[in-house]
Amino acid sequence: MADDLDEILYGELESFPKDDSVAEPHNELAVIPSSVDTTKVQELHNELEDAQNEISKLRMENKLLKEENEILAKNISALYRTATLEIRKQQSYSQRDKKSSFRTKHSNSRRKNG
């Protein structure tokens, strides 16, 4: 059954004998036709490597900047919460001082009048 299916799917395709004597190319430059200017190809290959190196550096820098950004965001959030609490504390102290001052004024005026 599998052979029948293979025949249906691949029957029209010609099979090519594998020649083990032909070595696989080791790099991209080995498969370039001789009509192509190898100097230009080498320049482009070098340019590609430089671009890939630059991309790697930028990715690493981007990763570090994201980490720094997260730290800064946490620090800003903590500072904001601390500042908010300090403001509330100061407001509470201020209100307590006003009440205390009000009581002191009224008790002093009663003593003077009394």
Side-chain angles (χ1 to χ4, degrees), residues 2-13:
D3 290 334
D4 292 338
L5 185 58
D6 286 346
E7 182 61 34
I8 291 170
L9 293 174
Y10 306 111
E12 295 178 11
L13 299 177

Side-chain angles (χ1 to χ4, degrees), residues 8 28 35 37 44 48 51 57-58 63-64 75 77 82 97 105:
I8 291 170
E28 301 85 22
S35 63
D37 181 13
L44 292 172
L48 174 64
K57 288 178 189 175
L58 290 172
K63 180 183 174 191
L64 293 173
N75 289 346
S77 179
T82 303
D97 289 345
K105 286 181 183 177

Side-chain angles (χ1 to χ4, degrees), residues 16-73:
F16 295 97
K18 184 171 181 179
D19 187 359
D20 293 332
S21 65
V22 177
E24 295 292 321
H26 294 298
N27 65 33
E28 301 85 22
L29 298 178
V31 294
I32 298 171
S34 60
S35 63
V36 175
D37 181 13
T38 56
T39 306
K40 181 65 176 173
V41 171
Q42 186 63 44
E43 287 174 9
L44 292 172
H45 183 71
N46 292 341
E47 195 175 311
L48 174 64
E49 284 182 0
D50 291 344
Q52 289 172 335
N53 290 336
E54 183 69 18
I55 288 170
S56 294
K57 288 178 189 175
L58 290 172
R59 283 184 176 151
M60 181 61 74
E61 185 178 342
N62 190 27
K63 180 183 174 191
L64 293 173
L65 289 172
K66 282 181 180 180
E67 291 170 0
E68 281 183 28
N69 191 30
E70 288 176 15
I71 292 168
L72 290 172

Side-chain angles (χ1 to χ4, degrees), residues 92-109:
S92 174
Y93 293 151
S94 177
Q95 288 174 354
R96 197 171 356 164
D97 289 345
K98 285 180 183 177
K99 287 179 184 178
S100 173
S101 172
F102 181 76
R103 287 183 192 145
T104 306
K105 286 181 183 177
H106 286 297
S107 64
N108 286 341
S109 65

